[in-house]
Every structure is written in structure tokens, then in C-alpha cells.
Amino acid sequence: MAFLAAALDRVKPSATIAVSQKARELKAKGRDVIGLGAGEPDFDTPDNVKEAAIDAIRRGETKYTPVAGIPQLREAISQKFKRENGLDYKPEQTIVGTGGKQVLFNAFMATLNPGDEVIIPAPYWVSYPEMVAICGGTSVFVEAGISTGFKLTPEALENAITEKTKWFLFNSPSNPSGAAYTHDELKALTDVLMRHPQVWVMTDDMYEHLVYGDFTFATPAQVEPALYDRTLTINGVSKAYAMTGWRIGYAGGPLELIKAMDMIQGQQTSGACSIAQWAAVEALNGPQDFIQKNKAIFQGRRDLVVGMLNQARGIDCPSPEGAFYVYPSCKGLIGKKTPGGKVIETDQDFVTELLEAEGVAVVHGSAFGLGPNFRISYATSEAQLEEACTRIQRFCGSLD
Ligand SMILES: Cc1ncc(COP(=O)(O)O)c(C=O)c1O
């Protein structure tokens, strides 16, 4: 009898965590490494949010909370959905989890039976297929390549749907590509879903607030209200409010599904950290100027990185609408040799040799299901980004 669960055979460790780990190890050995692998804002959590947490501790808000979240946070979430997305979710139709990650995971756990299919556009966030696998479902990957701005076409979605499709997993702006769908692009996808009543929509809106220029964010149940009864709208405070360590994510959806997720969470972690929940109340209800200020900074960094990467030989870097990632193609460098004689055969070779030669840590695209590309997180200072891009230009120029 095997000691470890068979489900583990289906799960891979996170490539993004592995890259951060490798960069840390090299740094510890004294190498000058610039890590562009991390998926978190480099800003500090706003002071008003920190103060709300400290106040909560002083008031003694340090006990177990209701499994689905404190009423004040569920009310704030309900109002957020109304105010920002035009969505009516009553507080009892919301659930708070320990990060968006737990909310996604429990939604799959609550709904997937063996054989159920989940459509995942590629490139995708590394955790999606692993969560589906752990919960016994089957991921169906559909390419959303560089030629369509890393966006899924309605035809590709239509072709991927079968009678076994349970979920369509939608993520805009996307990790890893930064691509975000306009209202019309999303409407073209929801039109397809209207023809397939068995398919539910799980939308991961984690990067909602990080869109640039005059781009307007849209979410499926808002674009197609007829999908409301089969949509789970997931969001969180991690990225918008620089609160990755506080571990608060949330969702709004049909009551029956929320109740099922509540039951699973009740036998699992119970309510999220009480103090972090009070901090999240302040993040959602308090002043929002933090978001605007940081958006402007991220946009400047995006433009810098896209500009410099497109000057690197063999690199093609589209300018994405949102998030804090770019997803350049390194196709033009496949088959080339490093000065040491190593042939770059895959995007994984590209990132390994780049780290070796220039000490720049990025994540290979094949980890996100679409290559040859690599992902750069620009959630770091302009000075670091400029230096990293200069090194990437030098590395690409050295290949022959
Ligand atoms: C697309 C996407 N969804 C969800 C999450 C999870 O966020 P959280 O920190 O709230 O668990 C991340 C974090 O990297 C992400 O990139």
C-alpha cells in the first residue's frame, strides 16, 4: 500500500515558487541576482489598513469567526460588488477565504466529480490545473496565443465545450500574460456560454484594479446578467491593496454553491484570520486612492519593460492591458547558441541560461502552458527593471 495519496502523482510543484527559491539560493551564495519571478506588489500595505488590524487586536477581535467571514466583511464585499461591478450579491451569497487561492480550491472541491472538465485558457496561472487535478477533475487547455493578444477566441471556446464541461475558468487581467478582455471581447465569450447551459463560469478577478490607460475592467456576470445564476465571481485584497501576506480572498455566487463551499471550509480551516478580515473591511470600505497611485507606477514600469524588451534581439513583447506581468515570446532565439556552446532548445533553456549568464530570474512560459515565452513580473523598482532589461538585451545579443 502506497503511503502517499495517488492524487499527488497528478500534482506538480509551483514553477514560480521554484524560480524564487533558486534566485534566493544564488543570492545567498553571493551572486548578484535580480528576481523578476514573484507575483506580488512590492508596495507596503496602506497605513489605514494596518491601523484597522491593530485596532482589531486591541478590541480583542482575536477569536474564531463565522466560517464564511465576519458579517462586516461580507457586507463590505456585497457593497463592493454593487459599487464596482454592478453585481447584486447579498452578504449571505458571499464567502471569505484564506486568500483567493482557498476560494478557488474550495469551489472546485465543492463541485468536481471524476470526469468533469474545466476549460482553462493557456497561458494560465500555474495553480489552476493542479487544483483541478487534486479535486479529481480534468483540465481542458485551450490556446490563447500571442496572435490574439493572449485572449481566447469565441470559436476556440465553442470547440472546447463538451457535455462534460462543468466550468469555464476565466481570468482577466491574466496571470501570466497581463491580457485583459474588453467588454465586447468578453461578451463574445459569454454569447458562446449562453448556448451551453451546463457550463458554469468561475471568474478570477484578482487583478481587476490593475488595468492601464483608459481600459475598463469587465466581469462575466456584469456583461451577461443571464449568466448570474451560474457564475462564481472571485476576487481578493492581495494584489489591489498589497496585502498578499494577510491571506484574504472572497467570492460572490449562487447561494447553494456558497453554502457548499462554506461546509467544506468549516471542516478545513474555518474562518480566515480574524485580524486580517478586519483589515480587509478597511481596505474595501476605506479610501481607495492607494489603488490609483500604484496603478500609475505600474503603468510606467510596464511601458519601460515593454520598450526595452522589444529592443532585445529575438524578443517579441506585446504590451498587456493589466496585471503586473509581461509575457514576451523568445521564439526568435530558439536554436541559437550561448557563447559557452549551449543550444537554446526551449524557453526553459532560455531562462536557465539567462539566470546563469546574467543573474536575471524569470519564469519559463511552458510552466504556464504556452511557450516559447517567459514571464516577467514588473512589481519591482524602475532601477531594477532597467538593469534587468539591459542584462536581458545583452544576453539575447550574445546568442548566435
Ligand atoms: C490569477 C491569480 N489568482 C489567484 C491568486 C491567489 O491570490 P491570493 O494571494 O489571494 O491567494 C493569484 C496569486 O498569485 C493569482 O495570480
Side-chain angles (χ1 to χ4, degrees):
M1 186 177 73
F3 178 63
L4 294 179
L8 278 186
D9 293 341
R10 302 193 292 265
V11 180
K12 293 194 298 289
S14 159
T16 45
I17 292 176
V19 167
S20 303
Q21 180 62 23
K22 178 94 198 276
R24 261 196 301 273
E25 278 167 24
L26 286 175
K27 261 189 197 161
K29 283 187 195 150
R31 281 282 309 269
D32 165 24
V33 174
I34 304 178
L36 303 179
E40 62 181 349
D42 53 321
F43 310 123
D44 200 4
T45 303
D47 283 340
N48 60 313
V49 173
K50 290 185 186 170
E51 290 302 328
I54 294 165
D55 278 355
I57 295 174
R58 294 223 166 91
R59 286 197 313 274
E61 305 281 6
T62 52
K63 303 290 202 289
Y64 290 133
T65 75
V67 172
I70 55 174
Q72 292 81 352
L73 181 52
R74 294 176 87 189
E75 178 62 39
I77 291 165
S78 168
Q79 284 172 19
K80 179 264 177 247
F81 278 132
K82 184 76 196 149
R83 185 176 66 239
E84 295 181 346
N85 310 112
L87 292 174
D88 281 310
Y89 290 119
K90 296 195 188 78
E92 61 267 32
Q93 283 180 275
T94 68
I95 186 163
V96 178
T98 301
K101 208 170 202 174
Q102 186 184 29
V103 176
L104 282 152
F105 195 95
N106 286 354
F108 286 131
M109 186 91 118
T111 55
L112 289 182
N113 290 311
D116 287 348
E117 294 177 355
V118 180
I119 295 178
I120 304 180
Y124 46 74
W125 181 41
V126 288
S127 293
Y128 295 148
E130 310 307 324
M131 290 181 186
V132 170
I134 293 171
C135 295
T138 303
S139 294
V140 175
F141 303 116
V142 191
E143 187 173 317
I146 198 164
S147 64
T148 55
F150 301 113
K151 293 177 203 174
L152 190 65
T153 63
E155 297 74 33
L157 175 60
E158 179 75 63
N159 290 338
I161 294 174
T162 72
E163 73 275 17
K164 291 188 187 151
T165 308
K166 181 158 273 177
W167 287 106
F168 167 51
L169 183 44
F170 180 72
N171 174 221
S172 165
S174 151
N175 176 5
S177 71
Y181 292 67
T182 63
H183 178 284
D184 290 356
E185 286 164 342
L186 180 51
K187 182 73 171 59
L189 297 182
T190 59
D191 284 350
V192 172
L193 296 168
M194 287 308 293
R195 295 196 284 274
H196 299 278
Q198 83 280 17
V199 182
W200 282 57
V201 188
M202 195 180 299
T203 178
D204 177 346
D205 298 353
M206 205 55 76
Y207 294 91
E208 164 180 13
H209 288 297
L210 301 175
V211 290
Y212 308 121
D214 54 8
F215 188 90
T216 305
F217 170 83
T219 190
Q222 169 191 36
V223 165
E224 180 48 87
L227 283 177
Y228 174 86
D229 288 333
R230 49 185 170 114
T231 298
L232 183 68
T233 306
I234 299 177
N235 211 317
V237 295
S238 292
K239 316 284 175 174
Y241 302 95
M243 291 177 69
T244 47
W246 298 76
R247 311 306 303 127
I248 296 291
Y250 57 84
L255 195 55
E256 193 192 1
L257 173 59
I258 297 294
K259 278 187 177 161
M261 291 164 66
D262 184 336
M263 192 168 72
I264 288 172
Q265 197 168 300
Q267 298 298 2
Q268 189 189 45
T269 51
S270 297
C273 166
S274 58
I275 299 150
Q277 289 192 60
W278 281 103
V281 171
E282 174 62 19
L284 294 180
N285 290 348
Q288 302 292 305
D289 48 326
F290 176 84
I291 292 177
Q292 292 310 322
K293 200 175 89 217
N294 292 331
K295 250 171 82 152
I297 296 173
F298 274 138
Q299 183 168 344
R301 292 173 179 178
R302 176 199 63 177
D303 294 343
L304 169 81
V305 170
V306 169
M308 286 189 76
L309 288 178
N310 279 323
Q311 284 163 26
R313 194 159 65 95
I315 299 290
D316 175 13
C317 185
S319 182
E321 294 85 356
F324 38 71
Y325 308 107
V326 292
Y327 201 64
S329 162
C330 55
K331 198 168 168 190
L333 299 170
I334 300 298
K336 301 237 181 285
K337 264 197 203 133
T338 66
K342 288 244 176 72
V343 180
I344 307 287
E345 285 173 357
T346 62
D347 53 19
Q348 189 153 11
D349 293 342
F350 175 83
V351 307
T352 306
E353 295 305 320
L354 174 64
L355 183 57
E356 214 34 67
E358 293 284 356
V360 178
V362 300
V363 187
H364 52 287
S366 41
F368 305 100
L370 188 109
N373 289 69
F374 57 100
R375 187 192 79 173
I376 285 184
S377 162
Y378 55 82
T380 188
S381 71
E382 283 207 8
Q384 287 268 299
L385 290 169
E386 212 168 322
E387 173 62 19
C389 291
T390 303
R391 294 186 194 184
I392 293 172
Q393 288 176 351
R394 192 161 58 214
F395 176 69
C396 295
S398 76
L399 300 175
D400 197 17

